[in-house]
Amino acid sequence: VHALLRVIWSGKWAVVTPFSLLQALWKYLPERFRAYQQQDAQEFLSCLLDRIHTELGNSVIDTTFQGRLLSEVICSACGYRSKRMDPFLDLSIDIPIISLAKPSKKRKGKAKAKKGEEEEEEQEGEEKGEEDEKKTKKTTKKGKGKGKAKAKGKAKSKKGKGKAKKEEEEEEEEEKEDEDEKEEDKKGKEKEAEEAPPIPVCSLQDCLDGFVTPEILNGEIWYCEKCKCKRDASKKMSLAVLPPVLCIVLKRFFWTATARAKIDTRVTLPFVLDIKPYLATSDGLDMANSVSFSNIGIPTQYDLRSVVMHHRTGVDRGHYTAFAYNENHKTWVHYNDSRVSQVDVEDVNLEVPAGVYIMFYQQREFSFDEGDSEMGDFTPLLPSLLGNSSSSSSSSNNNNNNNS
């Protein structure tokens, strides 16, 4: 990764192939990544960050991506609160289930009537075509009868003209058939669009709202330390410590009785995300055994910087692409295998909701060049990897030698 980043940020090459990184994965993580098998992007990201953290031997990954979640369980009988802090590198959230109204009978009736009208028009067109064909045959016969009475020279000349005319008619007929096929395809697509079930749409804020909504624990499955017995309770999650780079993963895949499936809900993303509504309250942060932390003075607005997308509906097959914001040129870039293209914001808005899987938000007033004094002493990611390579290289080499 160190060598790859140095090459990418050197500016000497227009195209970089990360084959050395792929070989390293095969060598050091053969149980997770074998050959050219399909892999999950979130699993790869988690494994890669964990490996980098282990090999560098410092907190560069933690100080960039790590935040803390506050888990709070409240007893429904006595009101006792049990609190626990958990670190996270990525925030995995559910996509809410959205029920869509079925097409009304009135709408179906209109569609049926429209279909009937189209069939009648097609039938009238066919009848008219048959009549035109009969008239054409009669005209042709009359023309042949008159042609016999004329001179041989004129007949020969007419034969040539007739052949040319026939070729023109055949070309026109072929063009007409092509137009008819296109029209049929268009009608077929429109019909499929009408009959296909509508795809639900939600926003990232809807997903986050569901994440912090209290969950009811019924059936007396939670043990209350104050009541000294199992009680019903409510569990709530909230963000206690914000990371400089917030990685959010949508739970698009789930298990059915027989296999994994994918949720195709379209999820719209804000380019500026305010995380304040999802922060832990002052009551929740008042913990007797907590480490010192506080969100006071910390920027709560995040800018969208990168999106990883999964295409197609299958789980075992599919295709990943990505959008990333280029800070230097103030533009969005689309990455699709070896094809890299600059795109407009409108393109990101149009394409992202259908397949968004992983997104990266960067905290405002946080820079990879220098940390903000109000935010504490953060170790920037890129300068540590791209700056003085002596210490990190020696550490990496030692670890590699030990692994080998």
Side-chain angles (χ1 to χ4, degrees):
V1 174
H2 177 264
L4 178 63
L5 289 175
R6 288 183 67 89
V7 171
I8 290 174
W9 289 97
S10 68
K12 296 180 180 180
W13 293 274
V15 178
V16 177
T17 303
F19 190 69
S20 58
L21 177 61
L22 185 61
Q23 286 183 318
L25 290 171
W26 290 344
K27 183 178 180 179
Y28 297 110
L29 299 170
E31 70 283 356
R32 297 290 299 275
F33 305 102
R34 292 188 179 91
Y36 294 95
Q37 296 176 351
Q38 296 286 331
Q39 305 293 343
D40 181 82
Q42 191 272 337
E43 291 180 2
F44 169 75
L45 175 65
S46 177
C47 187
L48 181 64
L49 293 180
D50 182 67
R51 187 73 182 190
I52 293 174
H53 174 71
T54 302
E55 292 200 1
L56 291 181
N58 56 30
S59 58
V60 61
I61 298 299
D62 289 347
T63 54
T64 304
F65 294 100
Q66 189 181 88
R68 293 185 183 179
L69 285 173
L70 174 64
S71 174
E72 189 175 10
V73 182
I74 305 174
C75 178
S76 60
C78 68
Y80 172 77
R81 296 189 178 197
S82 173
K83 302 169 186 177
R84 189 180 70 182
M85 295 281 290
D86 294 308
F88 71 90
L89 292 180
D90 58 64
L91 198 62
S92 297
I93 57 178
D94 292 310
I95 299 175
I97 299 173
I98 301 173
S99 59
L100 298 173
K102 296 181 179 179
S104 62
K105 292 182 179 180
K106 187 177 181 182
R107 183 181 174 186
K108 288 183 178 178
K110 286 182 179 180
K112 193 173 182 181
K114 186 178 179 182
K115 186 178 179 182
E117 290 175 4
E118 289 176 353
E119 290 177 353
E120 288 178 3
E121 289 176 1
E122 288 178 4
Q123 189 174 357
E124 289 176 2
E126 289 175 0
E127 292 175 357
K128 189 176 180 182
E130 290 176 0
E131 291 178 3
D132 292 340
E133 190 177 349
K134 288 178 182 178
K135 288 179 181 179
T136 304
K137 287 181 179 179
K138 288 180 181 179
T139 305
T140 306
K141 287 179 180 179
K142 288 179 182 180
K144 286 181 179 179
K146 290 179 181 179
K148 290 179 181 179
K150 292 183 179 181
K152 291 182 179 180
K154 290 183 179 180
K156 190 174 181 181
S157 175
K158 188 177 180 181
K159 186 178 180 181
K161 291 180 180 179
K163 188 177 180 181
K165 187 177 181 181
K166 187 177 180 181
E167 290 177 354
E168 288 179 4
E169 289 177 352
E170 287 177 354
E171 289 178 1
E172 289 177 358
E173 189 175 348
E174 287 178 0
E175 289 178 0
K176 187 180 179 182
E177 287 177 357
D178 291 339
E179 289 178 1
D180 291 342
E181 286 180 4
K182 289 179 181 179
E183 188 65 25
E184 287 179 5
D185 291 340
K186 186 179 178 181
K187 288 181 179 179
K189 289 179 180 178
E190 289 176 353
K191 187 178 179 182
E192 288 178 2
E194 288 179 0
E195 294 178 352
I199 299 175
V201 180
C202 71
S203 66
L204 177 61
Q205 290 90 331
D206 294 330
C207 301
L208 289 169
D209 288 341
F211 179 75
V212 298
T213 299
E215 175 188 1
I216 305 302
L217 305 177
N218 289 325
E220 297 183 349
I221 59 175
W222 177 74
Y223 182 83
C224 178
E225 294 182 2
K226 188 174 181 180
C227 296
K228 304 299 179 183
C229 63
K230 291 185 177 181
R231 296 287 193 184
D232 292 343
S234 62
K235 180 180 179 181
K236 183 181 179 180
M237 304 291 292
S238 55
L239 295 169
V241 177
L242 299 179
V245 177
L246 178 62
C247 176
I248 302 176
V249 181
L250 295 178
K251 295 181 181 179
R252 281 203 175 273
F253 306 103
F254 63 96
W255 281 98
T256 63
T258 55
R260 288 181 71 191
K262 181 183 176 183
I263 300 173
D264 292 322
T265 301
R266 297 173 62 89
V267 181
T268 59
L269 305 182
F271 283 90
V272 179
L273 174 65
D274 190 352
I275 212 74
K276 190 175 182 179
Y278 316 107
L279 294 178
T281 61
S282 57
D283 292 338
L285 295 177
D286 185 17
M287 301 172 62
N289 58 347
S290 67
V291 293
S292 59
F293 64 90
S294 174
N295 284 316
I296 299 175
I298 299 296
T300 60
Q301 288 190 324
Y302 283 76
D303 293 303
L304 182 63
R305 286 295 175 259
S306 182
V307 181
V308 177
M309 299 176 59
H310 180 273
H311 303 271
R312 300 176 191 167
T313 56
V315 177
D316 296 331
R317 63 181 64 183
H319 181 60
Y320 285 110
T321 62
F323 287 95
Y325 184 73
N326 188 312
E327 185 68 34
N328 295 332
H329 299 286
K330 309 298 181 184
T331 58
W332 280 91
V333 182
H334 184 219
Y335 297 88
N336 185 1
D337 289 341
S338 61
R339 297 182 295 277
V340 180
S341 56
Q342 184 175 315
V343 295
D344 297 327
V345 175
E346 291 75 14
D347 297 324
V348 180
N349 269 327
L350 182 65
E351 295 186 33
V352 162
V356 55
Y357 181 33
I358 305 172
M359 62 222 79
F360 294 88
Y361 279 90
Q362 181 178 320
Q363 195 173 36
R364 285 199 170 181
E365 299 182 26
F366 172 80
S367 172
F368 283 113
D369 296 324
E370 57 182 355
D372 192 304
S373 59
E374 292 183 356
M375 293 167 44
D377 184 18
F378 290 112
T379 305
L381 175 61
L382 293 180
S384 297
L385 295 178
L386 302 179
N388 186 2
S389 60
S390 58
S391 59
S392 58
S393 296
S394 60
S395 174
S396 178
N397 290 333
N398 291 335
N399 286 326
N400 288 340
N401 293 332
N402 293 334
N403 290 334
S404 61

